[in-house]
């Protein structure tokens, strides 16, 4: 059954309001509008497409289109249904259906501290939650360990959304723009080994980073907004021997984030 066709003028107005709030770039908007035309304008919500298939229609190469699709998935404008060798199957959401991050005040913090199931929290849904991930890393890129000013850091999915990753604190890290751009859809371990081969990580750093990826997935790096007896990582705390790369023992795993990220 076909979807009801949209009011193009209303959708355009909604997109004009949505784009700056989500931080959509010109290329993001171009790709999104193209996918809207191929779905809702045609009376449907889902579409199968390939990156290299739509890029020529937009006058772009595959790389920028791939990055735009990744960002649109992260921001909720697209919902991934399937990814295979034949391309992506996505649900394209109308601008009015996209949840805009908000609620960064104290009320959000109180609600989260009140017993929310941490593993079910979408850490991209509000500014407060995104800042909690950045604070956890203490101003240091999760991958290359360089100190990163707030104006130049971003969030990265360790396991890309296209590969089944989520917006959980177990899958989001704060990193520099360079690593975010270079990693793309590489597995985190493969990307870290690449940094080591390029001399951007020492052997000890590599060992520590690989352990950190495992600890992250295991839920050991809880954001500071959920501090208390379960606050296993306190991003920003300085620790001597941060690059020592020693393998944690038992309960020391809980403090791994402090020792290898700071």
């Amino acid at each position: 059954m076909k979807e009801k066709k949209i009011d193009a003028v209303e959708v355009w107005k909604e997109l004009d309001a949505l784009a700056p709030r989500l931080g959509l770039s010109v290329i993001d908007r171009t790709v999104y509008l193209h996918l809207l035309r191929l779905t809702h304008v045609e009376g449907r919500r889902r579409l199968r497409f390939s990156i290299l298939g739509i890029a020529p229609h937009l006058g772009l190469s595959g790389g920028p289109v791939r990055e735009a699709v990744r960002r649109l998935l992260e921001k909720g404008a697209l919902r991934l249904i399937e990814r295979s060798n034949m391309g992506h199957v996505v649900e394209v959401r109308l601008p009015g259906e996209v949840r805009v991050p908000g609620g960064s005040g104290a009320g959000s913090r109180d609600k989260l501290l009140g017993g929310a199931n941490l593993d079910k929290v979408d850490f991209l849904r509000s500014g407060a939650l995104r800042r909690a991930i950045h604070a956890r890393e203490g101003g240091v890129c999760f991958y290359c360990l360089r100190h990163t000013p707030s104006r130049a850091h971003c969030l990265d999915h360790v396991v890309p959304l296209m590969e089944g990753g989520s917006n959980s604190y177990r899958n989001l890290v704060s990193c520099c723009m360079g690593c975010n751009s270079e990693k793309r859809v590489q597995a985190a371990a493969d990307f870290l080994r690449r940094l080591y081969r390029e001399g951007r990580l020492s052997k000890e750093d590599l060992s520590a980073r690989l352990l950190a990826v495992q600890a992250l997935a295991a839920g050991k790096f809880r954001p500071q907004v959920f501090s208390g007896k379960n606050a296993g990582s306190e991003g920003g705390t300085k620790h001597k021997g941060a690059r020592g790369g020693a393998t944690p023992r038992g309960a020391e795993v809980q403090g791994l984030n402090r020792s290898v990220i700071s």
Side-chain angles (χ1 to χ4, degrees):
M1 180 178 178
K2 283 193 172 185
E3 292 282 323
K4 181 180 178 181
K5 290 193 176 182
I6 61 175
D7 181 335
V9 174
E10 187 63 27
V11 168
W12 189 272
K13 290 179 180 178
E14 290 176 348
L15 180 57
D16 274 350
L18 176 71
R21 297 176 70 185
L22 288 183
L24 298 182
S25 69
V26 172
I27 293 179
D28 296 341
R29 290 182 61 154
T30 300
V31 173
Y32 180 54
L33 284 170
H34 184 67
L35 296 177
L36 276 178
R37 182 180 70 76
L38 295 177
T39 52
H40 291 278
V41 172
E42 300 297 329
R44 54 181 175 168
R45 295 184 65 87
R46 295 186 178 184
L47 172 73
R48 181 185 295 277
F49 69 95
S50 68
I51 299 296
L52 296 181
I54 66 172
H57 296 284
L58 302 173
L60 297 168
S61 60
V65 173
R66 183 174 293 106
E67 287 299 302
V69 169
R70 179 179 66 82
R71 286 190 293 269
L72 290 169
L73 286 166
E74 290 176 354
K75 295 174 185 297
L78 304 178
R79 184 171 74 88
L80 184 65
I81 305 299
E82 176 187 331
R83 182 175 182 266
S84 67
N85 292 334
M86 297 179 65
H88 300 74
V89 177
V90 299
E91 175 185 302
V92 182
R93 291 171 174 156
L94 292 167
E97 298 171 339
V98 179
R99 288 172 53 187
V100 179
S104 58
S108 296
R109 178 182 174 88
D110 291 341
K111 183 176 180 180
L112 293 172
L113 288 172
N117 185 337
L118 188 57
D119 286 322
K120 293 183 179 180
V121 174
D122 180 345
F123 272 80
L124 290 183
R125 84 180 182 200
S126 75
L129 291 169
R130 293 193 297 275
R131 287 192 293 273
I133 300 296
H134 288 305
R136 183 188 65 189
E137 262 72 274
V140 174
C141 174
F142 182 86
Y143 299 115
C144 71
L145 295 174
R146 291 188 304 172
H147 284 276
T148 308
S150 59
R151 66 180 181 279
H153 64 198
C154 49
L155 294 179
D156 183 74
H157 290 86
V158 175
V159 178
L161 292 177
M162 295 178 182
E163 301 291 344
S166 69
N167 295 336
S168 165
Y169 77 97
R170 296 173 182 244
N171 193 49
L172 284 170
V173 297
S174 179
C175 68
C176 65
M177 290 182 178
C179 285
N180 180 260
S181 176
E182 293 175 40
K183 178 177 174 287
R184 297 179 182 270
V185 295
Q186 290 183 72
D190 291 341
F191 179 63
L192 290 168
R193 292 187 182 99
R194 171 186 161 185
L195 294 180
Y196 168 66
R197 290 194 300 270
E198 294 175 353
R200 294 156 65 184
L201 287 177
S202 68
K203 185 176 181 179
E204 293 76 15
D205 290 339
L206 174 62
S207 297
R209 294 293 81 213
L210 293 174
L211 285 172
V213 170
Q214 296 175 14
L216 180 76
K220 302 299 182 181
F221 296 169
R222 298 171 70 86
Q224 199 167 13
V225 69
F226 294 93
S227 60
K229 67 178 182 179
N230 292 324
S233 64
E234 296 175 5
T237 302
K238 296 296 180 183
H239 189 285
K240 293 182 179 180
R243 294 173 179 260
T247 302
R249 302 183 303 276
E252 293 176 8
V253 174
Q254 187 71 11
L256 181 62
N257 194 35
R258 288 195 295 271
S259 62
V260 300
I261 290 183
S262 299

